[in-house]
Amino acid sequence: ALAPLCRRHIEACAKIGIGIYLTQTLREREVQQALWMKGRDNAGNITIPSQVVTHARPGWSWHEYGLAYDVALQTPHGTITWNDVDMNKDTIRDWTQVGIEGEKLGLSWGGRWKKLRDMPHFELTGGLSIGVVARAGMLPPGWPKGATA
């Protein structure tokens, strides 16, 4: 279950002086569609690369199955930021520390991705990609019928 890991992640970050705020968990397919369309034309072709926020088509995001969450950094003033900062003043960027703390819990961190790094993103995948899961027939509940990698 993702919720207990998320709570432990928040607690682990707090222990090192970094507040994180949960911004997104379970995502409806329509929301994933809208996110995927950013920077794309109606056919799904990328037209404005700087506006692309995800490569996960609807049905292919761990968020849609309750197995991913996104966070923001909490400032000392109680606001949130996605900037790459060092609020705990230990000379290590906060996103790096937040990512490492998530990985210690067995989460996959979007900050390690080669394309479209997603620093606030964490997934509980068991180390598998959606494609591997689909090919093995281990699809989560609600997965699109006939989905293949």
Side-chain angles (χ1 to χ4, degrees):
L2 188 61
L5 286 175
C6 183
R7 282 191 291 277
R8 287 175 50 204
H9 191 193
I10 292 168
E11 291 166 3
C13 290
K15 285 181 183 176
I16 58 172
I18 301 171
I20 59 173
Y21 182 83
L22 194 60
T23 61
Q24 179 80 68
T25 56
L26 183 62
R27 183 180 294 156
E28 293 178 359
R29 187 145 313 176
E30 295 78 18
V31 174
Q32 186 65 31
Q33 173 72 25
L35 290 172
W36 186 75
M37 287 302 296
K38 288 186 177 196
R40 292 179 168 86
D41 63 20
N42 288 337
N45 301 306
I46 295 174
T47 55
I48 308 170
S50 64
Q51 291 183 6
V52 172
V53 297
T54 183
H55 290 304
R57 290 177 176 267
W60 295 90
S61 169
W62 292 106
H63 280 286
E64 294 175 72
Y65 305 97
L67 296 171
Y69 63 88
D70 297 328
V71 299
L73 301 173
Q74 207 164 14
T75 71
H77 306 292
T79 59
I80 59 173
T81 184
W82 287 271
N83 293 335
D84 193 14
V85 294
D86 182 20
M87 287 185 285
N88 64 352
K89 307 290 186 221
D90 63 358
T91 72
I92 303 169
R93 307 312 285 178
D94 291 349
W95 280 122
T96 300
Q97 291 179 288
V98 170
I100 290 168
E101 292 301 322
E103 289 174 332
K104 286 180 186 176
L105 296 169
L107 298 167
S108 175
W109 175 40
R112 300 273 185 217
W113 296 346
K114 302 284 187 249
K115 287 190 207 176
L116 199 62
R117 285 180 39 181
D118 192 353
M119 304 302 267
H121 181 86
F122 295 87
E123 302 175 335
L124 180 60
T125 66
L128 301 174
S129 71
I130 282 185
V132 168
V133 171
R135 282 193 296 277
M138 304 180 297
L139 302 174
W143 198 269
K145 289 183 180 173
T148 58

